[in-house]
Amino acid sequence: MMPTLKEIVEKPDTVHGRAFDIAIQILIVLSLISFSIETLPHLPPRMRHWLHYVEIFTVGIFTIEYLLRLIIADRKSSFVFSFYGLVDLIAILPFFVWPGVDLRSFRAFRLLRLFRILKLVRYNRAVRLFHRALLIAREEVILFLAVAAILLYLASVGIYYFEHEAQPEKFASVFHGMWWAVATLTTVGYGDIYPITVGGRIFTFLVLIIGLGVVAVPAGLVASALSRARELEKDGEPVLDAAK
Amino acid sequence: MMPTLKEIVEKPDTVHGRAFDIAIQILIVLSLISFSIETLPHLPPRMRHWLHYVEIFTVGIFTIEYLLRLIIADRKSSFVFSFYGLVDLIAILPFFVWPGVDLRSFRAFRLLRLFRILKLVRYNRAVRLFHRALLIAREEVILFLAVAAILLYLASVGIYYFEHEAQPEKFASVFHGMWWAVATLTTVGYGDIYPITVGGRIFTFLVLIIGLGVVAVPAGLVASALSRARELEKDGEPVLDAAK
Amino acid sequence: MMPTLKEIVEKPDTVHGRAFDIAIQILIVLSLISFSIETLPHLPPRMRHWLHYVEIFTVGIFTIEYLLRLIIADRKSSFVFSFYGLVDLIAILPFFVWPGVDLRSFRAFRLLRLFRILKLVRYNRAVRLFHRALLIAREEVILFLAVAAILLYLASVGIYYFEHEAQPEKFASVFHGMWWAVATLTTVGYGDIYPITVGGRIFTFLVLIIGLGVVAVPAGLVASALSRARELEKDGEPVLDAAK
Amino acid sequence: MMPTLKEIVEKPDTVHGRAFDIAIQILIVLSLISFSIETLPHLPPRMRHWLHYVEIFTVGIFTIEYLLRLIIADRKSSFVFSFYGLVDLIAILPFFVWPGVDLRSFRAFRLLRLFRILKLVRYNRAVRLFHRALLIAREEVILFLAVAAILLYLASVGIYYFEHEAQPEKFASVFHGMWWAVATLTTVGYGDIYPITVGGRIFTFLVLIIGLGVVAVPAGLVASALSRARELEKDGEPVLDAAK
């Protein structure tokens, strides 16, 4: 039995549909790699040519794909204004509107399509589990984000007062202090900005002790919520009741 | 039915009370942003003018709010000396006492008020859960902090002995070693101070292996305590019995 | 009763077999240390001599061990093409094929043998537990890796757009942005490359908030999965059913 | 009723014993602070004098304490060669043997005494819980440490091959690579040594993905083990059976 066009394009759980989906996703990745390579400085002109062909080819296929989805859709307007419909359009539009301009980075949105492949097999379960866990831990996560934001602001103001006089260039304002607080509380520590006064260093120490405690919390929350989500899953409770 | 003044100012769980609360909180954030901008160097005079108006406006509103709360309070003295009463006073006092001096950073204390909005809806539950978890994990957390403090001191003394001779400027004293230990054990690693001798590097390795183990513990403790707190919550046990 | 050769070489759970295994493992570690020392610059010629003797000695023993295993094996070909058979061969082959060339680093593969000793005693249980946990958390881990890869790519493209103009040397291409994204999202933060524009710094902040959430997930997953694996272990369920 | 000397010195769970214990611990901390200050460069001579007096005073008290414990001990030799007996002796010996030499850092060992105070009240429970958790997770932790050691070595050798040619000074040997691996896998990232070749950076990326997974495991193990230890605690099972 020949597969219908609808089956190929819209049903990623059939054999032909899955093949179509994977082919499109490979093209997306190819297009992203080509886009990344194009940003490299000192590219030989020949390479640029090849990348341009890849660009024309991928956009061509994406345009055909978009038209196919549009033709097949039962209600045209609901497809055009659906989330994936808009994503698909944004991914090809720049090529036709500003042919010379390099706006292919919009195609990054198409990466969202990669989630489709995850939907196949049994990944519905993993996504559902995360959804449940999020519902369970929602309140704690919001509370935690609020505490983190307040801590970040207080750290920024504090370090500004401690370091502004000693390093007027680096800690020029509270916003500079905020950049320091982001790099420090996430423990990235680039080393472009750090306290040199005794007061600033003791302050850093105190901020880090509290800050690491705050950072350690989400891991615990996620573990706890996922563990509970799994139990509820086993008991067969519907998702909406999970937060009760 | 017209809402009474008392309802608006003191009852954040009514419609008008909540609107009042949110308005005050938006003003707090506005005031903090204005304060942060003012620390920026090379501000055009016109900008300074605008920021000064924002300052006068917000302090004006906060003063009215303070007086309203004072008028409404059943027992004046207990409001004035309550935690939030003092916070509210500290947030406006500097403006009247030292009009020229820039002490608006005191307003950071008002951020504590942001917790009020969290209290609304169902956030009581999240706070109660954290409270329970803290009660459950209290002993372990104190033990952990004691171990961390001892480890930090031993690391400071150790690195001082290993690196003092090779880098007499950077590792000038045990306190300099302590700054290194803070930046290293929290894995921030600014890169302003690090061992260069073989002994110091092997010592760093050993300290980090033990130190990361110590840092990994609180996440586990929080996860375990929160998970247990949730169970107790479900069983309806009162908070005070949680630690038994 | 004299132990047979087969017992000594192939049965690490007997007294003689274990002694043989430990001896070989000590030689592996010795060989690796010797290899590492040889990479040190400015080695005195005498030291080089000694290291060469160690090399000849260890390769000699490893060759004898390989021949012993080959002789003892019931089916020669299945030993030669088995995983450990190939590892053993690769560890000695370079010495005979390119005597002058220093390819002893291949011996690192022999480290895989160290797992054998772990298998003794009761370590079967720990490995089985990890195996179970992996089966349980497989879907979530794959989903997580896909999300991490997408986040990494988007961060690379984003920082390239924000910083390319300000730092054309450091953020020369999307691939340079990817190196930054790796160092930042893992919180290593070497400090060789970091944003200096306001937009780039705010972008870094947002990427880190999402990124640390993504990094905090696997710890939770592993904890949850290990905890469940242990329960299943206790109930005596076979490993293959664990993921159901 | 007058407390006996034995009660004061050896029974930290009585009122007088606890007061004695706390006094000694305050002296230990005082002695450590004084020792740290003495390492500061450019100290005024007067300060040095004061620190010397603090030194004589604290060593004097520690000597009296040691003699008291010796006198009170039922079996002298078993006290002298006990763990705390040796620690107490090491803490005062240097002062008498090398009066001029500054060996007060030995007193850091006395920090171990701080654990005594933790034993009071109900901390026995926290320590017992950790003990149980360690017994439960022992096998997994050993397996994890072995995997971490192998990963560290392979990362060191790998980065040496990738970066040695490009940075012969920084990646001079496998041991230099090991220092890089320590700073990178713990995510400290001082920034004194990092890959600059494309191969080295891709290798760093792969090592970090695997390495962070390995680092995320202990947190999960501790959480899982502590959670189980608590359950066993509640059921009243003896510690020795916990690992079964």
Side-chain angles (χ1 to χ4, degrees):
Chain A
M1 197 176 85
M2 267 288 287
T4 64
L5 200 60
K6 200 173 181 74
E7 262 173 41
I8 295 172
V9 178
E10 285 197 337
K11 300 257 169 73
D13 47 350
T14 64
V15 178
H16 298 91
R18 200 172 173 182
F20 177 78
D21 237 48
I22 290 171
I24 290 290
Q25 277 151 15
I26 288 170
L27 273 180
I28 294 171
V29 171
L30 179 72
S31 149
L32 289 170
I33 290 170
S34 133
F35 160 71
S36 301
I37 290 171
E38 220 162 320
T39 65
L40 279 170
H42 317 305
L43 269 190
R46 221 180 134 165
M47 186 70 158
R48 285 212 181 278
H49 253 66
W50 271 102
L51 292 172
H52 191 61
Y53 294 150
V54 170
E55 164 73 354
I56 291 169
F57 174 70
T58 52
V59 169
I61 301 282
F62 293 154
T63 309
I64 293 165
E65 184 212 355
Y66 183 74
L67 294 175
L68 278 180
R69 286 191 195 276
L70 191 65
I71 290 161
I72 283 160
D74 295 326
R75 297 179 52 200
K76 311 296 175 200
S77 66
S78 78
F79 167 71
V80 172
F81 295 107
S82 71
F83 178 67
Y84 281 122
L86 289 170
V87 163
D88 286 3
L89 190 62
I90 290 166
I92 53 169
L93 210 61
F95 184 78
F96 298 106
V97 181
W98 309 278
V101 186
D102 199 28
L103 283 163
R104 259 177 306 162
S105 60
F106 278 97
R107 208 144 316 137
F109 289 111
R110 288 195 75 126
L111 268 175
L112 295 167
R113 292 223 145 178
L114 284 171
F115 280 101
R116 274 195 192 162
I117 207 170
L118 298 175
K119 268 193 206 160
L120 307 179
V121 213
R122 297 171 54 223
Y123 289 98
N124 286 315
R125 200 171 140 260
V127 175
R128 205 167 61 228
L129 218 65
F130 270 111
H131 184 206
R132 256 180 207 280
L134 204 70
L135 279 179
I136 292 172
R138 193 184 40 194
E139 292 168 29
E140 287 103 328
V141 166
I142 291 173
L143 186 74
F144 158 79
L145 283 177
V147 170
I150 291 170
L151 180 67
L152 196 80
Y153 185 78
L154 292 178
S156 311
V157 174
I159 204 73
Y160 170 74
Y161 276 114
F162 277 114
E163 294 291 324
H164 178 59
E165 254 178 81
Q167 305 185 82
E169 285 298 308
K170 293 209 163 175
F171 290 91
S173 73
V174 166
F175 297 106
H176 289 76
M178 215 170 271
W179 171 240
W180 167 86
V182 167
T184 300
L185 283 173
T186 59
T187 79
V188 169
Y190 288 122
D192 55 337
I193 184 168
Y194 49 82
I196 56 168
T197 66
V198 172
R201 288 180 170 183
I202 293 170
F203 180 75
T204 304
F205 178 44
L206 296 177
V207 162
L208 274 168
I209 285 179
I210 301 167
L212 293 189
V214 168
V215 167
V217 168
L221 291 173
V222 169
S224 170
L226 270 175
S227 160
R228 204 168 120 80
R230 196 185 286 282
E231 275 165 43
L232 290 173
E233 185 83 11
K234 216 165 54 180
D235 300 349
E237 275 188 42
V239 172
L240 286 176
D241 289 353
K244 275 183 196 166
Chain B
M1 198 177 85
M2 267 287 289
T4 64
L5 200 59
K6 200 174 183 73
E7 263 175 39
I8 295 172
V9 178
E10 286 196 337
K11 301 257 169 69
D13 47 350
T14 64
V15 176
H16 297 91
R18 199 171 174 184
F20 176 78
D21 237 49
I22 290 171
I24 290 291
Q25 276 151 15
I26 288 170
L27 273 180
I28 294 172
V29 171
L30 179 71
S31 151
L32 288 170
I33 291 170
S34 133
F35 160 71
S36 301
I37 291 171
E38 220 161 319
T39 64
L40 278 170
H42 317 303
L43 270 190
R46 218 178 136 167
M47 187 69 158
R48 284 213 182 278
H49 254 65
W50 272 101
L51 291 173
H52 192 60
Y53 294 150
V54 171
E55 163 74 352
I56 291 169
F57 174 70
T58 53
V59 169
I61 301 282
F62 293 154
T63 309
I64 292 165
E65 184 212 355
Y66 183 74
L67 293 176
L68 278 180
R69 285 191 196 275
L70 191 66
I71 290 161
I72 283 160
D74 294 326
R75 298 179 52 199
K76 312 295 177 203
S77 66
S78 77
F79 167 71
V80 171
F81 295 106
S82 71
F83 178 66
Y84 281 122
L86 289 171
V87 163
D88 287 3
L89 191 61
I90 290 167
I92 53 170
L93 212 61
F95 184 78
F96 299 105
V97 182
W98 309 278
V101 185
D102 199 29
L103 284 163
R104 256 176 306 162
S105 60
F106 279 96
R107 208 146 314 140
F109 289 110
R110 288 196 75 130
L111 269 174
L112 295 166
R113 291 225 145 177
L114 284 172
F115 279 100
R116 273 196 192 160
I117 206 169
L118 298 175
K119 268 193 207 160
L120 307 178
V121 215
R122 297 171 54 223
Y123 290 97
N124 286 316
R125 199 171 140 260
V127 174
R128 206 166 59 228
L129 218 64
F130 271 110
H131 183 207
R132 256 181 207 280
L134 204 70
L135 279 179
I136 292 172
R138 194 184 38 192
E139 294 168 29
E140 286 103 329
V141 165
I142 292 173
L143 187 74
F144 158 78
L145 284 177
V147 170
I150 291 171
L151 181 67
L152 196 79
Y153 185 78
L154 292 179
S156 311
V157 174
I159 204 72
Y160 170 74
Y161 277 113
F162 277 114
E163 295 292 323
H164 179 58
E165 253 178 83
Q167 305 185 81
E169 286 298 308
K170 294 211 162 173
F171 289 91
S173 73
V174 166
F175 297 106
H176 289 76
M178 216 169 270
W179 171 240
W180 166 86
V182 166
T184 300
L185 283 174
T186 59
T187 78
V188 170
Y190 287 122
D192 56 336
I193 183 169
Y194 49 81
I196 56 169
T197 66
V198 172
R201 288 180 170 183
I202 292 170
F203 180 75
T204 303
F205 179 43
L206 295 177
V207 162
L208 275 169
I209 285 179
I210 301 167
L212 293 189
V214 169
V215 167
V217 168
L221 291 173
V222 169
S224 170
L226 270 175
S227 160
R228 203 168 121 80
R230 196 185 286 281
E231 275 165 42
L232 290 173
E233 186 82 12
K234 215 165 54 179
D235 300 350
E237 275 187 41
V239 171
L240 286 176
D241 289 352
K244 277 183 196 169
Chain C
M1 198 178 84
M2 267 288 288
T4 63
L5 201 60
K6 200 174 181 73
E7 263 175 41
I8 295 172
V9 178
E10 285 197 336
K11 300 259 167 72
D13 47 349
T14 64
V15 178
H16 297 92
R18 200 174 172 180
F20 177 78
D21 237 49
I22 290 171
I24 290 290
Q25 275 150 17
I26 289 171
L27 273 180
I28 294 171
V29 171
L30 180 72
S31 151
L32 288 170
I33 291 170
S34 135
F35 160 71
S36 301
I37 291 171
E38 222 162 316
T39 64
L40 279 170
H42 317 305
L43 270 191
R46 223 180 130 167
M47 187 69 158
R48 284 210 183 279
H49 254 67
W50 271 102
L51 291 173
H52 193 61
Y53 294 150
V54 170
E55 163 74 353
I56 291 169
F57 175 70
T58 52
V59 169
I61 301 282
F62 292 155
T63 309
I64 292 166
E65 184 212 354
Y66 183 75
L67 293 176
L68 278 180
R69 286 191 196 275
L70 191 65
I71 290 162
I72 283 160
D74 294 325
R75 297 177 54 198
K76 310 297 176 201
S77 66
S78 76
F79 167 71
V80 171
F81 295 107
S82 71
F83 178 66
Y84 282 122
L86 289 169
V87 163
D88 287 3
L89 190 63
I90 289 167
I92 52 170
L93 212 61
F95 184 78
F96 298 106
V97 181
W98 309 278
V101 186
D102 199 30
L103 283 163
R104 258 176 307 163
S105 59
F106 279 96
R107 206 144 316 136
F109 289 111
R110 288 196 74 129
L111 269 174
L112 295 166
R113 291 224 146 176
L114 284 171
F115 279 100
R116 274 195 192 161
I117 206 169
L118 298 174
K119 268 192 205 160
L120 307 179
V121 215
R122 297 171 55 223
Y123 289 97
N124 287 315
R125 199 171 141 261
V127 174
R128 207 166 60 228
L129 218 65
F130 271 111
H131 184 206
R132 258 180 207 278
L134 204 70
L135 278 178
I136 293 172
R138 193 183 40 194
E139 292 168 28
E140 287 103 329
V141 165
I142 292 174
L143 187 73
F144 157 78
L145 284 177
V147 171
I150 292 170
L151 181 68
L152 196 80
Y153 185 77
L154 292 178
S156 310
V157 173
I159 204 72
Y160 170 74
Y161 277 114
F162 278 114
E163 296 291 323
H164 179 59
E165 254 179 82
Q167 304 185 82
E169 286 298 308
K170 293 211 163 174
F171 289 92
S173 73
V174 167
F175 297 105
H176 289 76
M178 216 171 269
W179 171 240
W180 166 86
V182 166
T184 300
L185 283 174
T186 60
T187 79
V188 170
Y190 287 122
D192 56 336
I193 185 169
Y194 48 81
I196 55 168
T197 66
V198 172
R201 288 181 170 182
I202 293 170
F203 180 75
T204 304
F205 179 44
L206 295 177
V207 162
L208 274 169
I209 285 179
I210 301 167
L212 293 190
V214 169
V215 168
V217 168
L221 291 174
V222 169
S224 170
L226 270 175
S227 161
R228 203 168 120 80
R230 197 185 286 283
E231 275 165 43
L232 291 173
E233 185 82 12
K234 216 166 54 182
D235 300 349
E237 276 187 42
V239 171
L240 287 176
D241 289 353
K244 277 183 196 166
Chain D
M1 198 177 84
M2 267 288 288
T4 63
L5 200 60
K6 200 174 181 72
E7 264 174 39
I8 295 172
V9 178
E10 286 197 336
K11 300 258 168 72
D13 47 349
T14 65
V15 178
H16 297 91
R18 200 173 172 181
F20 176 79
D21 236 50
I22 289 171
I24 290 290
Q25 276 150 15
I26 288 170
L27 273 180
I28 294 171
V29 171
L30 179 71
S31 150
L32 288 171
I33 291 170
S34 134
F35 160 71
S36 301
I37 290 171
E38 221 161 317
T39 63
L40 279 170
H42 317 304
L43 270 190
R46 221 178 133 168
M47 187 69 158
R48 284 213 181 278
H49 254 66
W50 272 102
L51 291 173
H52 192 61
Y53 294 148
V54 170
E55 163 73 353
I56 291 169
F57 175 70
T58 51
V59 169
I61 301 282
F62 293 155
T63 310
I64 293 166
E65 185 212 354
Y66 183 74
L67 293 176
L68 278 180
R69 286 191 195 275
L70 190 65
I71 289 162
I72 283 159
D74 295 325
R75 296 178 54 198
K76 311 296 175 201
S77 65
S78 77
F79 166 71
V80 171
F81 295 106
S82 72
F83 178 68
Y84 281 123
L86 289 170
V87 163
D88 287 4
L89 190 63
I90 289 167
I92 53 170
L93 211 61
F95 184 78
F96 298 106
V97 181
W98 309 278
V101 186
D102 199 29
L103 284 163
R104 255 177 308 163
S105 59
F106 279 96
R107 207 147 313 138
F109 289 111
R110 287 196 76 129
L111 269 174
L112 295 166
R113 291 224 145 177
L114 285 171
F115 279 99
R116 275 194 192 161
I117 207 169
L118 298 176
K119 270 194 205 158
L120 307 178
V121 214
R122 298 172 53 224
Y123 289 99
N124 286 315
R125 199 171 140 262
V127 174
R128 207 168 59 229
L129 218 65
F130 271 110
H131 184 206
R132 256 181 207 279
L134 204 71
L135 278 179
I136 293 172
R138 194 184 38 193
E139 293 168 27
E140 286 102 330
V141 166
I142 292 174
L143 187 73
F144 157 79
L145 284 177
V147 170
I150 292 170
L151 181 67
L152 196 80
Y153 185 79
L154 292 179
S156 311
V157 174
I159 204 73
Y160 171 74
Y161 277 113
F162 278 115
E163 295 292 323
H164 179 59
E165 254 179 82
Q167 304 185 83
E169 286 298 308
K170 294 211 163 174
F171 290 91
S173 74
V174 167
F175 297 105
H176 290 75
M178 216 171 270
W179 171 241
W180 166 86
V182 166
T184 299
L185 284 174
T186 59
T187 78
V188 170
Y190 287 122
D192 55 336
I193 183 169
Y194 49 81
I196 56 168
T197 66
V198 171
R201 289 180 169 183
I202 293 170
F203 181 74
T204 304
F205 178 44
L206 295 177
V207 162
L208 275 168
I209 285 179
I210 301 167
L212 293 189
V214 169
V215 167
V217 168
L221 291 173
V222 169
S224 169
L226 270 175
S227 160
R228 205 168 120 80
R230 196 185 286 282
E231 275 165 41
L232 290 173
E233 186 83 11
K234 215 165 54 181
D235 300 350
E237 276 187 42
V239 172
L240 286 176
D241 289 352
K244 277 183 195 169

